[in-house]
Every structure is written in C-alpha cells, then in structure tokens.
C-alpha cells in the first residue's frame, strides 16, 4: 500500500490476508489479524465488509480496536469495525484513552494466544508484537498530525 492521508481499511486488511495466505503456503497455519483504526474507510478498492468475509472464509478472526472518541463531533466509526470483527469471527474493542488502549491489547494478546493455540516458544514473539503495536498506538494518540 502507498501511504496517504486517510484509512483504507478494506485494502489494508486485504494486504494482511494476502500475507497470511502466503505464510500458510509455506506451512504456517494459525493466524489472526489486529486492526486499529478510527473506523472511517476513505476509499478502499475492497470494502471492509468484503475483506471481513474473506477473513472468515480463511479462518482468520479480525480483532478490531476503535481508537478515539465513539460519540460526539468527529467521532470514530465504531459500526464499521464492529461489522469487520463480527463478520470475521473476531471481537471488537474501543480505546478512547491510552490506558484503555493498553488494556485492550493485553486482552487481545491473551485471546489470540488461546484462540490460535500459540505454542509456548512463540509467546515472547507474541508479547513483543503486542508491545510494538501498543507503542505504535500510543504514538498515534500522542503525536499530533
């Protein structure tokens, strides 16, 4: 994907699913996706719902986190991310503060390690990945654009 202003939720999820498909061709089977967004898709070629249907068909649950306020002027589109999560077999979360974001990542990490049957040897990698995503989320919240 090329970087631009806005969020291409469906296209981004499609890129992730393509990577999962490639890994599965190489023998790596369990997978889940984590989608952080304000939920506003700004023009994906693949709709978020269509990407979620593909994820479901691949057996890849998509866990979504709405980052930002869910009510009021300029509110995040929690409905789109709820649809993606529900359709794919994942779960939707909201994070209006940095503390909530940290809490959501801990919950998702626990869920993924159980749902995907992550072996004990992979636990440090899962923890590191979650830590990096938390850091990215915090930077997105605290660094003005």
């Amino acid at each position: 994907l090329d970087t631009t202003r806005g969020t291409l939720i469906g296209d981004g999820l499609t890129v992730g699913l393509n990577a999962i498909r490639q890994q599965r061709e190489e023998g790596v089977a369990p997978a889940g996706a984590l989608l952080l967004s304000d939920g506003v898709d700004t023009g994906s070629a693949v709709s978020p719902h269509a990407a979620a249907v593909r994820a479901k068909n691949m057996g890849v649950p998509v866990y979504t986190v709405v980052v930002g306020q869910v009510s009021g002027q300029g509110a995040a589109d929690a409905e789109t991310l709820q649809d993606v999560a529900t359709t794919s077999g994942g779960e939707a979360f909201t994070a209006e503060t940095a503390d909530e974001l940290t809490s959501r990542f801990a919950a998702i990490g626990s869920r993924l390690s159980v749902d995907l049957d992550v072996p004990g040897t992979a636990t440090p990698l899962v923890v590191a990945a979650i830590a990096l995503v938390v850091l990215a989320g915090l930077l997105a919240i605290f660094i003005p654009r």
Side-chain angles (χ1 to χ4, degrees), residues 63-67 81-82 85 91-95 104 107-108 111:
Y63 296 87
T64 63
V65 180
V66 176
V67 179
L81 295 187
Q82 177 69 49
E91 192 172 343
F93 299 87
T94 60
R104 299 315 176 252
I108 293 167
R111 172 85 56 170

Side-chain angles (χ1 to χ4, degrees), residues 23 57 68 110 132:
Q23 289 293 311
N57 291 339
S110 295
L132 288 173

Side-chain angles (χ1 to χ4, degrees), residues 34-37 64-68 93-109 130-142:
L34 177 61
L35 174 62
L36 249 73
S37 175
T64 63
V65 180
V66 176
V67 179
F93 299 87
T94 60
E96 295 188 52
T97 67
D99 286 340
E100 286 179 354
L101 184 62
T102 301
S103 166
R104 299 315 176 252
F105 280 118
I108 293 167
I130 292 169
L132 288 173
V133 173
V134 169
L135 177 61
L138 292 173
L139 290 174
I141 290 172
F142 292 114

